[in-house]
Amino acid sequence: MASVSCIITHTLLLVSVCLALAKNTTNSSSSSSSLEIESEREALERTGWWGNQIPLYGASNQTHCSWTGIGCSEAGRVVSISCENYIQDELGKLNFSSFPYLQTLDLLNCGLNGSIPYQIGMLSKLNYLSLNENDLSGTLPSSLGNLTSLEHLDVSSNYFITGFIPSELGNLTNLSILDLSWNNLNGSIPSEIGTLSNLIELYLYSNRLTGTVPSALGSLTKLKHMILSYNQFSGSLDLHDANLTHLQTLDVSYNSLTGSIPIFKCSGLQYLSLSFNSLSGNIPKELGNCYSLVKLYLSSNNLTGSIPKELGNCYSLVRLYLSSNNLTGSIPNNFRCLVNLTYLELYDNHLSQTRPPTRNPYEDHTCEVTSHRRNSAFLVLYIVLFVTIGLFLMILAFVFVCRKKRKENQDKMLVRDGDICSVWNFDGNLAYEDIIRSTNNFDIRYCIGTGGYGSVYEARLQNGKTVALKKLHRLEAEDPNFDNCFKNEAHILSNIRHKNIVKLYGFCLHNRCMFLIYEYMEKGSLFCALRDDAHAVELDWSKRVNIVKGIAHALSYLHNDCSPPIVHRDISSNNILLNSHLEGFVADFGASRLLDPDLSNQTMVAGTYGYIAPELAYTMVVTEKCDVYSFGVVALEIMMGSHPADLLSSFTVPKSTQNRMLSDLVDAQFSSAAAASKRNRAFSSSSHQ
């Protein structure tokens, strides 16, 4: 019995000792956790970035987890940090070693400066890092490669960040988004980027990167968007036979690439831009397998041969730019089936024609459907759907116009068999029959140009007035995209008046045709005037300055004097028209948008290639900046006499413009005209003497 009692006594003693040790361990762990939480709070306080939220000592039991931009776990550990205000301070003030549980660091547009500290690599649990749109400098630390949990890395728009892209980024195998655009990075793309098997978006545009585009990028099978434009890449684009089946966007424009256009699996590709390089050879017929292609930019290269007929398989194609190459032959007949094609540029080639074949809707023509195209049942359903939507929108527009015009006594209306023709402020005599008579039912002889969604005709009316008509073709009228542009332009122009905006006299919705009626501009577009020797000489310096001022006044009116503000979204030399006095007028409001302050103002990207700001070309947010950048390009074009593509691309290399003289940029036609004028004045003066 004594032995049993001894055993029980020792057992109870052992249990009590274990409980005491467990209690001490728990207290120690709790104490350690409290110290770490206090360390996080102190690290945040030392930055001074949340100073207005820190209460006086003892005044509140509020923790740092309730501060704006700070997120904590249930255990009270900081897991997310973002800035809600413009800090304008050094990034290094934030002690990264104090946040071992941090998962999200979002410091977008906080005014941060200084370099990215090497200690940032200690954030082992970080999966989201955004430092974009700051004033950071120095190089990208190799310690970024330690952030193996990272899924989103954005250090874009920090122009003072220089140096190479660290090869250690290849360790970030969980990364889905990598954005290093709009910096001053140099060197080549490390081949280790090709090991990022989960990468979906890769943005390296607007840097000073050199070397070749590594073929390892072709193994990024999940990649959807790859934009490498505005760099100094050379050599061939070695993506032949790449397995990029999910790729939707590929932009390698504005580089110095040579060789041929790569051939790869592109069934999902929607946007392909290889413009402004030195690519040679033929346009591969395999591009016809890119059935989803919406925009194709191949201009300003050294491409030869004919336009492959296989491009006619790309039914979704809206924009096709092949200008400034050495293409020969004619436009394939099956291009008439590209009913969505809105913009087609073919100038500066050796083609026998510059317009696609016209499809006659009254003839029983059927577009050839190859085995690679969509099945006929889907095509029929697609066409019927769009025609139905177009007719429905036309009926709605008809009802809207009828209700509106009943309230306007000053407007003349001609209603006949469900058709409507409304014209205002033009002698009250303009009617549909007069339009048809003056253009001989829109005979081709009266056509003076082709716009984004219709042809433009000159019409001399019985009262002696001359007007311009933009006519929406019958096939285009059945497409909701064109129909919406037509109605949008009529709506915008009918509610604004400015001396430098083309005046709209009226519009017509008719079961046979739809057209807009404009003030006639005798000298045509600014684009053509600058490229015509005779007109370019007429455009002396004072006239060019007045054109720039007129555009500026028109945009100022649209942005500041209209409520809500209007963004044109397609300011280009093609959309600036000149009257007989060579005064400039803004035209073509089909892509315009009203800015609603209560909405996000997101829409599809619009504009003419070469006039869209690079930083806005891949966002859907519409702002006045869209027009401001385009205005700057047009102003340079007016001064130089041609599109300033080379000058704009040189701005990405700071030293490249240091030795450029103003005299080298001014239009040669203008310079020679000025010199001739000076000689004439000197001769006249000597004759009088």
Side-chain angles (χ1 to χ4, degrees), residues 9 77 127 136 310 338 359 372 454 494 503 530 575 582 612 649:
T9 301
R77 307 307 302 270
N127 56 45
L136 299 175
E310 287 76 9
L338 300 178
R359 184 182 179 192
H372 298 293
S494 63
K503 188 181 299 182
L530 290 173
N575 290 335
L582 294 176
I612 307 174
S649 60

Side-chain angles (χ1 to χ4, degrees), residues 150-223:
L150 206 60
E151 299 176 3
H152 182 114
L153 175 57
D154 189 347
V155 197
S156 62
S157 299
N158 287 281
Y159 186 73
F160 299 106
I161 289 184
T162 59
F164 299 157
I165 299 175
S167 60
E168 288 80 3
L169 294 185
N171 299 331
L172 309 181
T173 54
N174 290 311
L175 204 64
S176 60
I177 297 177
L178 175 59
D179 191 347
L180 304 178
S181 60
W182 279 98
N183 290 305
N184 207 11
L185 297 171
N186 51 49
S188 58
I189 301 176
S191 59
E192 288 79 1
I193 299 296
T195 64
L196 304 180
S197 57
N198 289 304
L199 201 62
I200 296 175
E201 300 178 19
L202 175 61
Y203 305 114
L204 301 177
Y205 61 91
S206 295
N207 278 287
R208 299 174 60 191
L209 298 174
T210 56
T212 59
V213 177
S215 59
L217 298 183
S219 61
L220 301 176
T221 56
K222 294 184 179 180
L223 200 64

Side-chain angles (χ1 to χ4, degrees), residues 419-534:
D419 302 327
I420 218 173
C421 182
S422 177
V423 182
W424 53 88
N425 298 330
F426 198 81
D427 299 335
N429 296 321
L430 192 57
Y432 178 78
E433 288 82 4
D434 204 359
I435 295 291
I436 297 299
R437 190 183 305 109
S438 61
T439 60
N440 194 18
N441 199 15
F442 297 102
D443 190 279
I444 190 65
R445 292 174 298 174
Y446 297 91
C447 183
I448 57 176
T450 301
Y453 55 93
S455 295
V456 182
Y457 295 80
E458 177 183 350
R460 186 172 180 83
L461 306 175
Q462 288 184 336
N463 59 11
K465 299 288 186 180
T466 301
V467 296
L469 306 173
K470 181 184 286 187
K471 178 179 178 292
L472 190 65
H473 299 305
R474 180 170 179 177
L475 288 179
E476 296 167 340
E478 296 173 352
D479 188 326
N481 294 323
F482 295 115
D483 187 63
N484 290 338
C485 287
F486 178 91
K487 293 178 174 62
N488 187 62
E489 184 161 10
H491 172 68
I492 294 290
L493 285 178
S494 63
N495 289 283
I496 61 176
R497 288 291 184 270
H498 189 272
K499 64 178 181 179
N500 292 110
I501 295 178
V502 171
K503 188 181 299 182
L504 180 71
Y505 289 138
F507 61 88
C508 182
L509 303 178
H510 197 279
N511 61 2
R512 284 182 288 169
C513 62
M514 300 168 64
F515 55 82
L516 302 171
I517 308 166
Y518 295 96
E519 179 182 10
Y520 181 70
M521 294 290 154
E522 294 82 356
K523 296 295 185 179
S525 71
L526 175 62
F527 177 91
C528 294
L530 290 173
R531 287 154 180 79
D532 181 85
D533 292 346

Side-chain angles (χ1 to χ4, degrees), residues 270-291:
Q270 300 176 14
Y271 183 106
L272 175 60
S273 179
L274 303 175
S275 294
F276 292 92
N277 282 287
S278 298
L279 298 172
S280 57
N282 296 337
I283 299 175
K285 63 181 181 180
E286 287 78 5
L287 284 178
N289 298 328
C290 305
Y291 308 125

Side-chain angles (χ1 to χ4, degrees), residues 555-662:
L555 291 180
S556 177
Y557 166 79
L558 293 172
H559 295 172
N560 302 308
D561 298 332
C562 293
S563 181
I566 299 172
V567 180
H568 186 280
R569 297 207 305 160
D570 197 12
I571 295 294
S572 68
S573 57
N574 267 315
N575 290 335
I576 305 299
L577 303 182
L578 306 177
N579 65 6
S580 58
H581 302 294
L582 294 176
E583 298 171 322
F585 294 77
V586 177
D588 201 339
F589 283 72
S592 301
R593 286 293 181 272
L594 302 175
L595 290 188
D596 190 333
D598 299 324
L599 299 177
S600 62
N601 293 303
Q602 288 192 347
T603 184
M604 294 298 293
V605 176
T608 300
Y609 191 75
Y611 295 86
I612 307 174
E615 71 271 24
L616 300 175
Y618 305 103
T619 178
M620 296 189 296
V621 180
V622 179
T623 70
E624 294 89 344
K625 295 179 182 179
C626 303
D627 290 347
V628 173
Y629 180 92
S630 303
F631 165 74
V633 176
V634 173
L636 286 172
E637 186 175 357
I638 291 172
M639 181 180 73
M640 299 171 62
S642 60
H643 190 278
D646 294 336
L647 178 64
L648 294 177
S649 60
S650 70
F651 288 154
T652 60
V653 185
K655 294 184 179 180
S656 67
T657 59
Q658 289 182 356
N659 298 321
R660 303 284 297 270
M661 300 295 292
L662 181 61

